[in-house]
C-alpha cells in the first residue's frame, strides 16, 4: 500500500521539517520505504546546501537525487516568492509534480513538505495553496503549540477545506515548553479541528528521533503486519 501526503503548518518556524522527519522515521519503524520531499526551500550554506533538505534526506530511506527531493532551492533565507524573483526563477508546478511522481514510484510513504504556512506566495500569481491543489494530496497539518495557535490552526484548516482538500490528521508540536494551559488548548484544538490527532510531540531540542515514538501515521493500522 502506498500513501502520500502534503505537510503544511500554521506558520513558519513551527517545526514542519522536524515533524516531517519524525513521520518518516515512524514509517521506517514500521518497515516502510519512506521518502520526503521539500520542493521549495530558501536559505543555503556556503556549499549550497539547505538544512531542511538535508534533514529530510537523512530521515528518508529511499535514495533520491537532490533535484527530485528539492527542485527549487534559493540562496537567501527569505520569503520564497521574493527569493525566486531576485534569482529570476519561476516555480513550475509541473516540475514538482514530476518529482512527486518519481519519488512515489519508489516509496510506500511519501511526505511532501510545504514552505512557511499554507498561504505563502510562490510567485506573483501562485501560492502554496495552489501547489497543494495541483498535487491533490491529503494534508497533514502541524500546529505549533504556543499562544495564538488555536486561531492559526482553525484558519489554516478552513483554508485547506476551502480548496477542496482533506486533512488526514494534525500534529501538536510543543514548540513552547512553557505554554500556559497547554492541556486546555490541546483539548480545544481536538474539538475544533476536523481531523484526527496524530500525536503530541514534546519539546525535543536534541532531534526528531524521539518524536517518532510520539506519532502515528494516518491509517497506520493498514501498514501493520
Amino acid at each position: 500500500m502506498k500513501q502520500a501526503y502534503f505537510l503544511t503548518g500554521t506558520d513558519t518556524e513551527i517545526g514542519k521539517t522536524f515533524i516531517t522527519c519524525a513521520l518518516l522515521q515512524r514509517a521506517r519503524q514500521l518497515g516502510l520505504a519512506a521518502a520526503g520531499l521539500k520542493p521549495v526551500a530558501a536559505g543555503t550554506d556556503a556549499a549550497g546546501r539547505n538544512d531542511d533538505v538535508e534533514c529530510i534526506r537523512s530521515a528518508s530511506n529511499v535514495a533520491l537525487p537532490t533535484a527530485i527531493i528539492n527542485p527549487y532551492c534559493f540562496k537567501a533565507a527569505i520569503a520564497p516568492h521574493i527569493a525566486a524573483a531576485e534569482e529570476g526563477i519561476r516555480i513550475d508546478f509541473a516540475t514538482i509534480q514530476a518529482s512527486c511522481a518519481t519519488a512515489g514510484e519508489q516509496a510506500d510513504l511519501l511526505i511532501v513538505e510545504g514552505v512557511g504556512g499554507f498561504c505563502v506566495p510562490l510567485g506573483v500569481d501562485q501560492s502554496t495553496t495552489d501547489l497543494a491543489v495541483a498535487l491533490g494530496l491529503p494534508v497533514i497539518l502541524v500546529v505549533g503549540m504556543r499562544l495564538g495557535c488555536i486561531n492559526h490552526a482553525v484558519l489554516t484548516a478552513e483554508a485547506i477545506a476551502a480548496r477542496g482538500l482533506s486533512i488526514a490528521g494534525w500534529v501538536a508540536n510543543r514548540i513552547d515548553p512553557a505554554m500556559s494551559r497547554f492541556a486546555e488548548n490541546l483539548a480545544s484544538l481536538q474539538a475544533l479541528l476536523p481531523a484526527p490527532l496524530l500525536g503530541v510531540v514534546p519539546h525535543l531540542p536534541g532531534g526528531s528521533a524521539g518524536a517518532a515514538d510520539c506519532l502515528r501515521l494516518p491509517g497506520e493500522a493498514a501498514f501493520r503486519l
Side-chain angles (χ1 to χ4, degrees):
M1 178 180 294
K2 292 179 179 281
Q3 293 189 12
Y5 301 95
F6 183 82
L7 185 141
T8 191
T10 49
D11 202 348
T12 191
E13 300 297 328
I14 50 81
K16 291 191 307 299
T17 299
F18 180 81
I19 298 302
T20 294
C21 292
L23 288 169
L24 292 171
Q25 288 161 349
R26 177 58 181 162
R28 294 173 64 172
Q29 290 175 353
L30 296 172
L32 303 176
L37 303 186
K38 178 80 172 178
V40 180
T44 60
D45 62 17
R49 293 184 295 259
N50 175 269
D51 286 343
D52 289 348
V53 173
E54 295 308 311
C55 287
I56 290 171
R57 186 199 308 277
S58 296
S60 304
N61 61 355
V62 175
L64 295 168
T66 299
I68 297 296
I69 299 172
N70 174 224
Y72 295 98
C73 190
F74 304 108
K75 294 179 182 179
I78 56 178
H81 70 295
I82 298 174
E86 289 183 355
E87 296 186 27
I89 295 173
R90 176 176 172 81
I91 296 171
D92 183 0
F93 290 175
T95 298
I96 297 172
Q97 289 171 313
S99 292
C100 292
T102 297
E105 290 173 355
Q106 304 176 53
D108 299 312
L109 176 77
L110 175 65
I111 297 179
V112 183
E113 183 188 322
V115 57
F118 186 63
C119 297
V120 169
L122 295 178
V124 295
D125 59 352
Q126 59 186 14
S127 69
T128 303
T129 60
D130 299 314
L131 175 60
V133 170
L135 296 177
L137 300 175
V139 177
I140 294 175
L141 174 62
V142 179
V143 179
M145 298 299 292
R146 62 187 177 200
L147 185 64
C149 66
I150 294 176
N151 177 67
H152 290 164
V154 171
L155 287 175
T156 303
E158 289 179 354
I160 292 168
R163 271 72 180 184
L165 299 171
S166 64
I167 302 178
W170 66 281
V171 175
N173 188 27
R174 195 162 188 178
I175 58 174
D176 178 7
M179 181 184 185
S180 181
R181 306 296 190 273
F182 172 79
E184 291 85 347
N185 278 273
L186 181 66
S188 294
L189 285 165
Q190 286 182 279
L192 291 167
L193 292 178
L197 175 62
L198 301 178
V200 178
V201 178
H203 189 65
L204 295 170
S208 60
D213 295 328
C214 303
L215 296 170
R216 60 185 176 88
L217 302 176
E220 183 171 302
F223 288 118
R224 295 184 180 276
L225 297 178

